């Protein structure tokens, strides 16, 4: 089957491309490279032995997206990752996020309707739940007001899918609500590679340990949590990527129970920022230089997943431990440093 992966040179996208290729899928990537590197294609090929198709353009451009669908036939399904994803940045640049994250989805849905493509897996987020009243969060938990424009784009995107599928019953969609993806491929050939200063915790940890950053900032230690730092549910990116393969197969094999399905993807365990730091220090042998600073706008206090629905209905379960996730991220960072040194 031929699968379009938008944002496929990004962190989660690249790992998903590898997992799709492992089951024999033909993959074509569309990415504007706004937060990724074209060299990722070379490393995907090194892992899988197959170079995915690739086109570089912005999916928020309606004409370019329509032209892509005109030229590419036989697509069985789409996995839509392409979106801006930094909570803090979205607070500072809300229009940037609304325009990119929502217009790109609408352009893709237009292309699907025009060319008879019926299946899309949407990259959603646990941010749709806001700060939940009860933990862990299940798919039946109420959708609370978003804490950030980023989170709001995910809420609105799910509403767009709901309304579009209601109007066009031939379409099918699965929204995967991620918790916090971390780690890297065991080959250390692909991983999280943010351009500029990282917005996510783990790449900031590894970059601080390797010497790229002078100090790690921990945003707040006055939360209502055991150690005062914010709690998240961290999931290995390879486990997450495999869930996308399960989801796309579920649609193509017509095993869905309803046209739009939602699944939480996490481990079901909440870890504080200091828990993650301690795990990294243990597996790496590095002592981190970190400092506590004020809370960051847009961050929720604590959230972790009830994964039972995804475990039972999809037959998928996250397998990696925290230490395994952190070690893979560290191995990836060290591999980057070796490559940078050899190229300098």
């Amino acid at each position: 089957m031929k699968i379009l992966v938008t944002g496929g040179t990004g962190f989660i996208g690249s790992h998903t491309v590898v997992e799709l290729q492992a089951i024999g899928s033909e993959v074509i990537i569309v990415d504007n490279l706004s937060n990724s590197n074209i060299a990722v294609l070379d490393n995907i090929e090194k892992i899988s032995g197959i170079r995915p198709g690739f086109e570089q353009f912005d999916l928020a451009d309606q004409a370019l997206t329509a032209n892509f669908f005109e030229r590419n036939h036989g697509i069985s399904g789409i996995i839509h990752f392409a979106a801006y994803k930094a909570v803090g940045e979205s607070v500072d640049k809300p229009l940037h996020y609304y325009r990119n994250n929502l217009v790109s989805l609408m352009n893709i849905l237009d292309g699907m309707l025009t060319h008879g493509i019926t299946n899309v897996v949407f990259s959603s987020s646990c941010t749709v739940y806001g700060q939940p009243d009860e933990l862990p969060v299940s798919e039946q938990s109420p959708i609370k007001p978003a804490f950030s424009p980023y989170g709001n784009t995910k809420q609105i995107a799910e509403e767009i899918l709901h309304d579009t599928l209601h109007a066009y019953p031939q379409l099918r969609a699965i929204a995967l609500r991620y918790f916090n993806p971390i780690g890297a491929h065991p080959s250390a050939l692909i991983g999280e590679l943010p351009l500029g200063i990282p917005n996510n915790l783990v790449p900031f940890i590894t970059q601080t340990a390797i010497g790229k950053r002078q100090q790690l900032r921990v945003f707040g230690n006055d939360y209502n949590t055991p150690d005062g730092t914010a709690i998240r549910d961290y999931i290995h990116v390879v486990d997450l990527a495999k869930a996308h393969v399960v989801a796309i197969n579920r649609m193509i094999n017509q095993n869905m129970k309803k046209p739009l399905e939602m699944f939480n993807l996490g481990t079901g365990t909440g870890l504080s920022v200091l828990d993650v730091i301690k795990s990294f220090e243990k597996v790496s042998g590095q002592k981190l230089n970190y400092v506590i600073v004020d809370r960051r706008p847009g961050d929720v206090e604590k959230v972790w997943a009830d994964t039972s629905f995804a475990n039972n209905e999809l037959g998928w379960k996250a397998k990696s431990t925290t230490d395994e996730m952190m070690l893979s991220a560290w191995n990836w960072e060290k591999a980057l440093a070796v490559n940078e040194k050899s190229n300098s």
Side-chain angles (χ1 to χ4, degrees):
M1 59 185 175
K2 180 190 271 189
I3 305 297
L4 166 62
V5 180
T6 72
T9 57
F11 177 39
I12 308 170
S14 60
H15 288 80
T16 302
V17 169
V18 167
E19 296 301 323
L20 286 166
Q21 290 177 326
I23 65 163
S25 298
E26 177 187 353
V27 179
I28 182 166
I29 293 171
V30 171
D31 202 307
N32 65 4
L33 301 180
S34 64
N35 194 34
S36 60
N37 193 304
I38 191 66
V40 169
L41 292 177
D42 296 331
N43 291 334
I44 290 173
E45 185 176 12
K46 288 176 184 176
I47 294 169
S48 67
I50 304 165
R51 192 174 188 84
F54 176 78
E55 293 198 24
Q56 180 182 351
F57 67 89
D58 193 336
L59 288 156
D61 186 310
Q62 188 173 19
L64 291 178
T65 305
N67 179 262
F68 168 83
F69 283 107
E70 288 287 344
R71 293 182 289 100
N72 289 275
H73 304 287
I75 294 172
S76 301
I78 298 170
I79 303 180
H80 180 42
F81 293 107
Y84 298 142
K85 62 177 186 176
V87 169
E89 183 184 58
S90 77
V91 175
D92 296 330
K93 300 178 179 179
L95 294 179
H96 194 57
Y97 272 66
Y98 286 116
R99 185 177 297 112
N100 181 75
N101 292 9
L102 299 178
V103 174
S104 61
L105 173 62
M106 290 186 282
N107 289 342
I108 286 167
L109 290 170
D110 277 336
M112 291 175 65
L113 290 167
T114 301
H115 296 279
I117 303 166
T118 57
N119 304 307
V120 60
V121 175
F122 175 66
S123 170
S124 193
S125 168
C126 67
T127 57
V128 300
Y129 298 113
Q131 179 57 66
D133 293 326
E134 296 182 0
L135 291 167
V137 179
S138 77
E139 289 81 359
Q140 286 70 47
S141 296
I143 303 299
K144 306 277 292 285
F147 268 47
S148 67
Y150 164 73
N152 204 26
T153 66
K154 294 301 184 182
Q155 291 184 355
I156 296 169
E158 288 191 5
E159 292 171 358
I160 290 170
L161 287 172
H162 178 273
D163 293 343
T164 304
L165 268 63
H166 179 75
Y168 303 98
Q170 71 271 31
L171 298 183
R172 296 289 181 270
I174 294 178
L176 298 178
R177 294 170 173 168
Y178 315 157
F179 281 67
N180 288 68
I182 61 172
H185 194 269
S187 65
L189 287 167
I190 55 175
E192 190 166 9
L193 183 61
L195 302 184
I197 298 173
N199 285 294
N200 294 334
L201 174 63
V202 172
F204 218 116
I205 286 175
T206 59
Q207 288 188 14
T208 301
I210 206 79
K212 290 181 183 177
R213 307 287 164 197
Q214 184 176 1
Q215 193 173 57
L216 169 70
R217 291 180 297 164
V218 175
F219 295 103
N221 67 342
D222 57 350
Y223 288 108
N224 182 27
T225 62
D227 63 22
T229 62
I231 290 177
R232 298 290 182 271
D233 186 337
Y234 295 93
I235 177 175
H236 197 293
V237 65
V238 174
D239 287 334
L240 187 61
K242 290 177 178 178
H244 291 78
V245 177
V246 173
I248 201 78
N249 281 332
R250 180 179 176 85
M251 284 193 290
I252 289 171
N253 294 330
Q254 300 183 340
N255 291 329
M256 294 176 66
K257 302 292 176 60
K258 53 185 179 179
L260 176 59
E261 295 182 334
M262 319 284 194
F263 295 98
N264 288 341
L265 298 184
T267 63
T269 300
L271 297 170
S272 74
V273 175
L274 293 183
D275 288 333
V276 175
I277 288 173
K278 289 173 185 174
S279 172
F280 175 79
E281 289 181 335
K282 181 174 74 171
V283 300
S284 68
Q286 304 290 313
K287 187 68 178 174
L288 273 177
N289 177 27
Y290 68 89
V291 61
I292 306 294
V293 298
D294 291 339
R295 296 184 186 189
R296 182 173 57 181
D299 281 346
V300 300
E301 180 171 84
K302 50 191 171 185
V303 63
W304 62 91
D306 177 347
T307 62
S308 56
F309 184 56
N311 298 159
N312 296 329
E313 186 64 29
L314 290 178
W316 166 92
K317 187 176 178 63
K319 296 179 179 178
S320 297
T321 66
T322 308
D323 287 354
E324 288 169 342
M325 296 185 229
M326 298 309 295
L327 181 59
S328 69
W330 180 230
N331 288 339
W332 159 244
E333 190 67 62
K334 290 189 292 184
L336 285 176
V338 170
N339 291 335
E340 289 169 2
K341 186 174 182 179
S342 63
N343 292 332
S344 61

